[in-house]
Amino acid sequence: MAADTKIAILESAHACWSCGDMRAAQFCNSCGKVQPPAPTDYFSFFGLPRKLNVDPAALEREFYALSRKLHPDIYAGRNTQEQEWSLEQSSRVNDAYRTLKDPIRRTEYLLQLEGVELEGQSKAATEEARKSGVKKQIVPPGLLEEVFELNMQLEELRANRKLGEEDVTLLGELQQQKQSLELKLNSLFEELQSYWNKWDAAVDAGNEEQRRQVRDQMVDLLNRRNYIRNLVRDVNDAVGD
């Protein structure tokens, strides 16, 4: 494809369907018409760079401003196509906001944009692994001994309950284990925040090597965090919290 043709396609993709002027992600800058949804990431949707430190108050203000402008009721008297576009854009702004306002989801989403697939650590993935007998989760090296002990305690708790028995001491030990794991989660979140600063600095500097390094560090941390989060969930399920 010739370079001139590529430019023409890009320009048409950013041109308003109504007046032909340059458009933003949701509206035409000139005539204000709602635009058909265009392929764009959630950061770009809010006019943000792909950075991890986000001002929550500014994000919320932009969300409510866009929500008001995109509300389907505003387009009730317009043609069917505009009504459909407003619904799609309104849904997209909700999805984008829910993702970017949550620190963990925001980080995971950015990593997805970078082509990274995190390990399957969801509850559904864990249950499927148990049923199939294939252990998909990799125990973080620093947790091997602790995880072994915790699993033994959980098995003992389940066995006792099958016999109609309740071991108060064992329950107390599991609660202590849970508290220890929750402290680890808090510590990992603080570490993750330090990586946000490094990532944003690398983006500002255009340092691709540093970006890759920080990206890999965040992937490792999130996989560890997801594993620990699932352990906390397993304890809660077992003790009935």
Side-chain angles (χ1 to χ4, degrees), residues 81-103:
Q81 186 64 83
E82 286 185 78
Q83 292 177 35
E84 290 177 357
W85 288 339
S86 71
L87 283 170
E88 291 179 46
Q89 291 279 26
S90 182
S91 175
R92 186 163 175 78
V93 76
N94 288 328
D95 290 342
Y97 178 64
R98 281 193 296 265
T99 298
L100 296 185
K101 76 172 182 176
D102 183 287

Short mmCIF file of all heavy atoms in Angstrom, two decimals, residues 81-103:
data_model
loop_
_atom_site.label_atom_id
_atom_site.label_comp_id
_atom_site.label_asym_id
_atom_site.label_seq_id
_atom_site.Cartn_x
_atom_site.Cartn_y
_atom_site.Cartn_z
N GLN A 81 -28.75 5.61 13.88
CA GLN A 81 -27.30 5.38 13.91
C GLN A 81 -26.64 6.15 15.06
O GLN A 81 -25.81 5.61 15.79
CB GLN A 81 -26.68 5.80 12.58
CG GLN A 81 -25.19 5.48 12.46
CD GLN A 81 -24.92 3.99 12.49
OE1 GLN A 81 -25.02 3.31 11.49
NE2 GLN A 81 -24.57 3.46 13.66
N GLU A 82 -27.04 7.41 15.24
CA GLU A 82 -26.46 8.20 16.33
C GLU A 82 -26.87 7.63 17.69
O GLU A 82 -26.07 7.66 18.64
CB GLU A 82 -26.90 9.66 16.22
CG GLU A 82 -26.22 10.43 15.11
CD GLU A 82 -26.60 11.91 15.12
OE1 GLU A 82 -26.06 12.65 15.98
OE2 GLU A 82 -27.45 12.30 14.30
N GLN A 83 -28.09 7.14 17.79
CA GLN A 83 -28.53 6.52 19.05
C GLN A 83 -27.67 5.31 19.38
O GLN A 83 -27.26 5.11 20.53
CB GLN A 83 -30.00 6.13 18.94
CG GLN A 83 -30.97 7.30 18.86
CD GLN A 83 -32.41 6.84 18.70
OE1 GLN A 83 -32.80 5.81 19.24
NE2 GLN A 83 -33.20 7.59 17.95
N GLU A 84 -27.38 4.49 18.37
CA GLU A 84 -26.56 3.30 18.59
C GLU A 84 -25.14 3.69 18.99
O GLU A 84 -24.54 3.09 19.89
CB GLU A 84 -26.54 2.45 17.31
CG GLU A 84 -27.88 1.79 17.01
CD GLU A 84 -27.84 1.00 15.70
OE1 GLU A 84 -26.78 1.03 15.02
OE2 GLU A 84 -28.86 0.36 15.36
N TRP A 85 -24.60 4.71 18.31
CA TRP A 85 -23.25 5.16 18.64
C TRP A 85 -23.16 5.70 20.06
O TRP A 85 -22.18 5.46 20.77
CB TRP A 85 -22.79 6.22 17.64
CG TRP A 85 -22.49 5.67 16.28
CD1 TRP A 85 -22.20 4.38 15.95
CD2 TRP A 85 -22.46 6.40 15.05
NE1 TRP A 85 -21.99 4.26 14.61
CE2 TRP A 85 -22.14 5.48 14.02
CE3 TRP A 85 -22.67 7.74 14.71
CZ2 TRP A 85 -22.01 5.87 12.69
CZ3 TRP A 85 -22.54 8.14 13.38
CH2 TRP A 85 -22.22 7.20 12.38
N SER A 86 -24.18 6.44 20.48
CA SER A 86 -24.16 6.99 21.84
C SER A 86 -24.19 5.87 22.87
O SER A 86 -23.52 5.95 23.90
CB SER A 86 -25.32 7.96 22.05
OG SER A 86 -26.56 7.28 22.12
N LEU A 87 -24.98 4.82 22.59
CA LEU A 87 -25.02 3.67 23.50
C LEU A 87 -23.67 2.98 23.58
O LEU A 87 -23.19 2.63 24.67
CB LEU A 87 -26.10 2.68 23.04
CG LEU A 87 -27.55 3.04 23.34
CD1 LEU A 87 -28.50 2.09 22.61
CD2 LEU A 87 -27.82 2.98 24.84
N GLU A 88 -23.05 2.77 22.43
CA GLU A 88 -21.74 2.10 22.39
C GLU A 88 -20.68 2.95 23.09
O GLU A 88 -19.86 2.43 23.86
CB GLU A 88 -21.33 1.83 20.94
CG GLU A 88 -22.19 0.77 20.25
CD GLU A 88 -21.76 0.55 18.81
OE1 GLU A 88 -20.54 0.44 18.57
OE2 GLU A 88 -22.63 0.51 17.92
N GLN A 89 -20.69 4.25 22.81
CA GLN A 89 -19.70 5.14 23.42
C GLN A 89 -19.92 5.24 24.93
O GLN A 89 -18.97 5.27 25.71
CB GLN A 89 -19.79 6.53 22.79
CG GLN A 89 -19.33 6.61 21.34
CD GLN A 89 -17.82 6.70 21.21
OE1 GLN A 89 -17.08 6.25 22.08
NE2 GLN A 89 -17.36 7.29 20.11
N SER A 90 -21.18 5.28 25.35
CA SER A 90 -21.49 5.36 26.78
C SER A 90 -21.02 4.09 27.50
O SER A 90 -20.47 4.15 28.60
CB SER A 90 -23.00 5.54 26.97
OG SER A 90 -23.31 5.67 28.33
N SER A 91 -21.23 2.94 26.87
CA SER A 91 -20.78 1.68 27.46
C SER A 91 -19.26 1.65 27.55
O SER A 91 -18.69 1.19 28.56
CB SER A 91 -21.28 0.51 26.62
OG SER A 91 -20.77 -0.71 27.09
N ARG A 92 -18.62 2.16 26.52
CA ARG A 92 -17.15 2.15 26.49
C ARG A 92 -16.56 3.07 27.55
O ARG A 92 -15.56 2.73 28.19
CB ARG A 92 -16.65 2.54 25.11
CG ARG A 92 -15.14 2.40 24.94
CD ARG A 92 -14.75 2.39 23.48
NE ARG A 92 -13.31 2.38 23.29
CZ ARG A 92 -12.55 1.32 23.43
NH1 ARG A 92 -13.09 0.16 23.76
NH2 ARG A 92 -11.24 1.38 23.24
N VAL A 93 -17.18 4.23 27.76
CA VAL A 93 -16.65 5.14 28.78
C VAL A 93 -16.78 4.52 30.16
O VAL A 93 -15.91 4.69 31.02
CB VAL A 93 -17.35 6.52 28.71
CG1 VAL A 93 -18.74 6.50 29.29
CG2 VAL A 93 -16.51 7.59 29.41
N ASN A 94 -17.85 3.75 30.40
CA ASN A 94 -18.01 3.06 31.68
C ASN A 94 -16.94 1.99 31.87
O ASN A 94 -16.34 1.87 32.95
CB ASN A 94 -19.40 2.42 31.78
CG ASN A 94 -20.50 3.43 31.98
OD1 ASN A 94 -20.30 4.46 32.60
ND2 ASN A 94 -21.68 3.16 31.44
N ASP A 95 -16.69 1.21 30.82
CA ASP A 95 -15.67 0.16 30.89
C ASP A 95 -14.29 0.77 31.13
O ASP A 95 -13.49 0.26 31.93
CB ASP A 95 -15.66 -0.66 29.60
CG ASP A 95 -16.90 -1.52 29.45
OD1 ASP A 95 -17.60 -1.76 30.45
OD2 ASP A 95 -17.18 -1.96 28.31
N ALA A 96 -14.01 1.84 30.40
CA ALA A 96 -12.70 2.49 30.51
C ALA A 96 -12.49 3.05 31.91
O ALA A 96 -11.41 2.90 32.51
CB ALA A 96 -12.57 3.60 29.48
N TYR A 97 -13.52 3.67 32.44
CA TYR A 97 -13.41 4.28 33.78
C TYR A 97 -13.22 3.20 34.85
O TYR A 97 -12.36 3.33 35.73
CB TYR A 97 -14.65 5.11 34.08
CG TYR A 97 -14.63 5.73 35.46
CD1 TYR A 97 -13.67 6.68 35.80
CD2 TYR A 97 -15.57 5.35 36.44
CE1 TYR A 97 -13.65 7.25 37.07
CE2 TYR A 97 -15.55 5.92 37.70
CZ TYR A 97 -14.59 6.87 38.01
OH TYR A 97 -14.55 7.43 39.27
N ARG A 98 -14.01 2.13 34.78
CA ARG A 98 -13.88 1.05 35.78
C ARG A 98 -12.47 0.45 35.75
O ARG A 98 -11.93 0.08 36.79
CB ARG A 98 -14.92 -0.03 35.53
CG ARG A 98 -16.31 0.30 36.03
CD ARG A 98 -17.21 -0.94 36.04
NE ARG A 98 -17.43 -1.44 34.69
CZ ARG A 98 -18.48 -1.12 33.95
NH1 ARG A 98 -19.39 -0.28 34.42
NH2 ARG A 98 -18.64 -1.62 32.75
N THR A 99 -11.90 0.36 34.57
CA THR A 99 -10.56 -0.23 34.45
C THR A 99 -9.49 0.71 34.96
O THR A 99 -8.60 0.30 35.73
CB THR A 99 -10.28 -0.58 32.98
OG1 THR A 99 -11.22 -1.56 32.54
CG2 THR A 99 -8.87 -1.14 32.81
N LEU A 100 -9.54 1.97 34.57
CA LEU A 100 -8.46 2.90 34.90
C LEU A 100 -8.50 3.39 36.34
O LEU A 100 -7.45 3.76 36.89
CB LEU A 100 -8.48 4.10 33.95
CG LEU A 100 -8.21 3.79 32.47
CD1 LEU A 100 -8.13 5.08 31.67
CD2 LEU A 100 -6.94 2.97 32.29
N LYS A 101 -9.67 3.40 36.97
CA LYS A 101 -9.73 3.89 38.35
C LYS A 101 -9.20 2.86 39.34
O LYS A 101 -8.79 3.22 40.45
CB LYS A 101 -11.16 4.29 38.72
CG LYS A 101 -12.09 3.13 39.01
CD LYS A 101 -13.42 3.63 39.56
CE LYS A 101 -14.35 2.47 39.90
NZ LYS A 101 -15.61 2.93 40.52
N ASP A 102 -9.20 1.58 38.94
CA ASP A 102 -8.71 0.52 39.82
C ASP A 102 -7.22 0.32 39.57
O ASP A 102 -6.82 -0.01 38.46
CB ASP A 102 -9.48 -0.78 39.53
CG ASP A 102 -9.07 -1.90 40.47
OD1 ASP A 102 -7.95 -2.43 40.31
OD2 ASP A 102 -9.86 -2.25 41.35
N PRO A 103 -6.38 0.51 40.58
CA PRO A 103 -4.92 0.45 40.37
C PRO A 103 -4.42 -0.86 39.78
O PRO A 103 -3.56 -0.85 38.89
CB PRO A 103 -4.35 0.67 41.77
CG PRO A 103 -5.44 1.29 42.56
CD PRO A 103 -6.73 0.80 41.98
#
